[in-house]
Amino acid sequence: MAQTEVLIVGAGPTGLVLALWLTKLGVKVRIIDKTAEPGTTSRALAVQARTLELYRQLDLTDSVIAKGHQVPAVNLWVKGERAARLAFEKVGTGLTPYPFLHIFPQDQHERLLIERLESLGVAVERRTELIRFSEQENGVIARLRGSDDAEQDCEATYIAGCDGARSIVRETIGAGFPGGTYRQVFYVADVDAAGPAVNGELHIDLDEADFLAVFPLAGTGRARLIGTVRDERADRADSLKFEDISDRAINHLKVEVGNVNWFSTYHVHHRVAQHFRKGRAFLVGDAAHIHSPAGGQGMNTGIGDAINLAWKLAAVIAGRAPDALLNSYEAERIGFARRLVATTDRVFSFASAEGRIADILRTRVAPVVFPLAVSFEAVREFLFRTVSQIMLNYRQSPLSRGMAGQVHAGDRLPWVAADGTDNFAPLASMDWQVHVYGSADAELSAFCARQNLRLGVFAWRSEHEAAGLARDALYLLRPDTYVALADQRGSAGAIERYFADHGLRPAPNRPA
């Protein structure tokens, strides 16, 4: 019987990132997918700032940026004219090293992740399908069917369902998937085009209850049209062609289409699984939650799930943490998934609402209120923090303890670049580490040396205070770079108690 430590079912971005993180952390993985090859078309486009920050741990960020397209602004259109424009560079500067919306289509994204995984000696097993699995005392036994239709058993310590909305893993563990399905039919068209809405920026049409957006792609004159139809055309979704929906893009956004590279339609659901874990099985990404594409959150949320789970699985498998640590995966991710589904549902409902009042709100009120609202720095910052996911926090997690300055345990560490020093640079390491902004006392330094904890001490600057950090406080950072412990006194004893209370032992430092 084949054996592995973690069996990953599904080789989309979520499963691939989980496999990459675990492999880098020394965990033996097996990743399977029932498809014959990676996808050649995609719906997911956006790679948010928080994902780019975390990708530094895999040395992926520069490649993703180089191969994609940075979107400088979003534009709202009404009655065939541009009614408002929000420039991203004015929003995220000072909050993250990546103050922009980045477009990198999912199919290209997957190919990059596969290449990196193969460079670590792990290949996706294609045409391999999970038939069923059962939990044993020390692991799971999974029955797999290969490309030759032969079946085999695989023994794994844990199984991760990254197998999408129709997840076999979710069905097996009996986790309900409550929610619903939007009545609109979504369509995606990858086109070569020209016109004022094909200028490298994001354009959204507010005229009608059918949503329509033009997303820029890397390369001159390339764009992705994403929209909905809700009239009688929705009843024949399987037979829809680009010609059936192209008039609106041409007339409202002045898109001059030269060539349609591919076109597809699909239905969108909004659902969250009742549980993300049962025993040795976990749900990750679309297997756990699916929602409207509003805001470009889906793929990024699945990647966030994978990173959250990876370091915890690695710690438990290595014997550096108790099994109870794995309960924090659901505790930290399910609440965010529920809020995300509710938020994207409200945004999409506004964009697609029917009736005279809804039309007035979209075409008359929004073009006036939106530019006025984003003229305030606090509003711009809130919008960017939300969409980029840098505002996501685990303050209510059982793993979060304390507060220092304005930074709570569970928060993403604030990014600060001062005097040529980037406080995120040490975070490329996938280990526990301690940051002090100001000076660390001798006791703390000695403790970190004994525990093999990386200690980063940053000379105090006004930029640290502006970011909400406290002088001489300590911030214990988890392997996924969130703050686990914030202690105003900078006490080594606080770290010692934290690890003892949670039964944790920090892993040896690895090269960044």
Side-chain angles (χ1 to χ4, degrees):
M1 185 185 300
Q3 293 183 322
T4 192
E5 289 177 319
V6 180
L7 174 63
I8 300 171
V9 184
T14 297
L16 291 167
V17 168
L18 180 60
L20 274 166
W21 241 268
L22 287 171
T23 302
K24 290 280 283 187
L25 290 170
V27 176
K28 183 180 180 182
V29 305
R30 186 175 180 186
I31 179 168
I32 65 171
D33 197 285
K34 62 183 179 182
T35 63
E37 59 185 15
T40 56
T41 61
S42 68
R43 299 169 191 163
L45 288 172
V47 182
Q48 302 293 356
R50 185 57 181 149
T51 300
L52 292 173
E53 290 176 356
L54 291 165
Y55 269 8
R56 292 171 78 162
Q57 292 187 305
L58 291 176
D59 193 26
L60 274 171
T61 305
D62 290 345
S63 294
V64 170
I65 291 176
K67 294 174 182 292
H69 173 75
Q70 295 181 30
V71 180
V74 59
N75 302 269
L76 303 182
W77 286 63
V78 173
K79 302 187 185 306
E81 299 295 335
R82 185 159 43 191
R85 180 179 186 271
L86 172 63
F88 287 120
E89 65 266 20
K90 296 181 180 179
V91 183
T93 299
L95 300 177
T96 172
Y98 313 105
F100 46 80
L101 173 64
H102 192 68
I103 298 296
F104 188 45
Q106 180 179 330
D107 54 333
Q108 299 175 44
H109 199 152
E110 286 185 15
R111 288 198 295 273
L112 176 62
L113 295 173
I114 289 169
E115 290 172 5
R116 291 300 177 90
L117 190 58
E118 289 177 344
S119 72
L120 298 177
V122 179
V124 176
E125 298 178 43
R126 294 282 171 189
R127 296 179 179 173
T128 303
E129 183 177 5
L130 173 68
I131 304 303
R132 59 182 178 273
F133 73 90
S134 60
E135 184 167 335
Q136 311 297 313
E137 182 178 356
N138 296 313
V140 298
I141 305 295
R143 173 58 62 94
L144 308 180
R145 179 184 295 136
S147 57
D148 57 358
D149 285 335
E151 295 185 3
Q152 62 168 283
D153 286 336
C154 173
E155 183 178 4
T157 310
Y158 297 98
I159 185 170
C162 306
D163 47 345
R166 295 181 175 86
S167 170
I168 297 298
V169 176
R170 189 184 62 246
E171 292 179 5
T172 302
I173 67 175
F177 207 31
T181 303
Y182 293 110
R183 71 183 188 281
Q184 294 91 342
V185 170
F186 281 74
Y187 64 84
V188 180
D190 194 338
V191 300
D192 297 320
V198 189
N199 66 344
E201 299 183 355
L202 170 60
H203 299 264
I204 300 173
D205 181 28
L206 296 177
D207 268 355
E208 298 178 2
D210 286 343
F211 174 80
L212 173 62
V214 180
F215 288 83
L217 300 177
T220 303
R222 297 191 59 230
R224 177 76 50 81
L225 307 183
I226 299 179
T228 62
V229 293
R230 57 180 167 78
D231 54 24
E232 68 281 354
R233 293 171 297 174
D235 298 328
R236 52 186 180 91
D238 293 340
S239 62
L240 276 181
K241 299 180 180 179
F242 180 71
E243 292 74 18
D244 297 321
I245 55 89
S246 60
D247 283 353
R248 182 170 169 216
I250 293 170
N251 297 331
H252 290 204
L253 294 179
K254 299 182 174 66
V255 177
E256 302 167 14
V257 178
N259 186 58
V260 180
N261 299 312
W262 63 270
F263 173 81
S264 67
T265 61
Y266 59 101
H267 285 279
V268 170
H269 309 268
H270 45 102
R271 302 178 184 274
V272 180
Q274 292 174 321
H275 300 289
F276 286 10
R277 179 196 186 189
K278 183 178 181 181
R280 294 179 177 272
F282 299 86
L283 303 178
V284 195
D286 286 355
H289 46 79
I290 50 176
H291 44 82
S292 156
Q297 302 294 300
M299 181 177 66
N300 294 274
T301 303
I303 290 170
D305 291 345
I307 296 169
N308 184 288
L309 178 60
W311 73 267
K312 297 171 182 177
L313 281 172
V316 173
I317 289 171
R320 296 182 178 277
D323 178 81
L325 175 67
L326 298 175
N327 292 330
S328 68
Y329 167 66
E330 177 178 312
E332 293 181 347
R333 298 302 294 181
I334 198 168
F336 173 64
R338 287 169 176 163
R339 291 192 300 274
L340 180 62
V341 168
T343 300
T344 55
D345 184 58
R346 286 194 294 269
V347 171
F348 179 70
S349 296
F350 168 77
S352 61
E354 301 176 41
R356 186 170 181 274
I357 293 177
D359 287 342
I360 291 173
L361 288 174
R362 272 195 307 271
T363 62
R364 299 182 186 179
V365 177
V368 174
V369 172
F370 181 75
L372 178 63
V374 298
S375 67
F376 295 97
E377 182 179 356
V379 174
R380 293 197 304 270
E381 182 174 315
F382 175 80
L383 287 173
F384 182 83
R385 285 182 179 275
T386 300
V387 173
S388 67
Q389 297 197 355
I390 64 174
M391 193 164 69
L392 189 160
N393 69 75
Y394 304 132
R395 291 183 179 182
Q396 303 305 314
S397 169
L399 300 182
S400 300
R401 179 181 297 180
M403 176 183 177
Q406 298 174 32
V407 178
H408 295 252
D411 288 353
R412 157 195 173 267
L413 181 73
W415 174 69
V416 180
D419 297 336
T421 301
D422 178 353
N423 72 327
F424 273 23
L427 303 186
S429 168
M430 292 181 169
D431 299 303
W432 292 87
Q433 58 185 277
V434 177
H435 278 201
V436 174
Y437 298 87
S439 58
D441 63 29
E443 182 184 359
L444 177 60
S445 298
F447 174 82
C448 289
R450 290 196 305 272
Q451 297 296 321
N452 205 15
L453 266 176
R454 187 189 301 267
L455 173 62
V457 181
F458 300 82
W460 181 252
R461 296 287 184 269
S462 59
E463 290 89 346
H464 296 137
E465 183 177 16
L469 295 160
R471 187 168 189 169
D472 300 338
L474 74 80
Y475 298 93
L476 174 65
L477 303 176
R478 308 172 356 168
D480 61 355
T481 76
Y482 285 87
V483 178
L485 167 70
D487 183 72
Q488 184 71 52
R489 298 170 298 170
S491 165
I495 303 177
E496 192 168 23
R497 288 190 296 274
Y498 179 90
F499 282 136
D501 291 346
H502 293 289
L504 300 171
R505 289 189 294 124
N509 285 332
R510 297 178 178 84

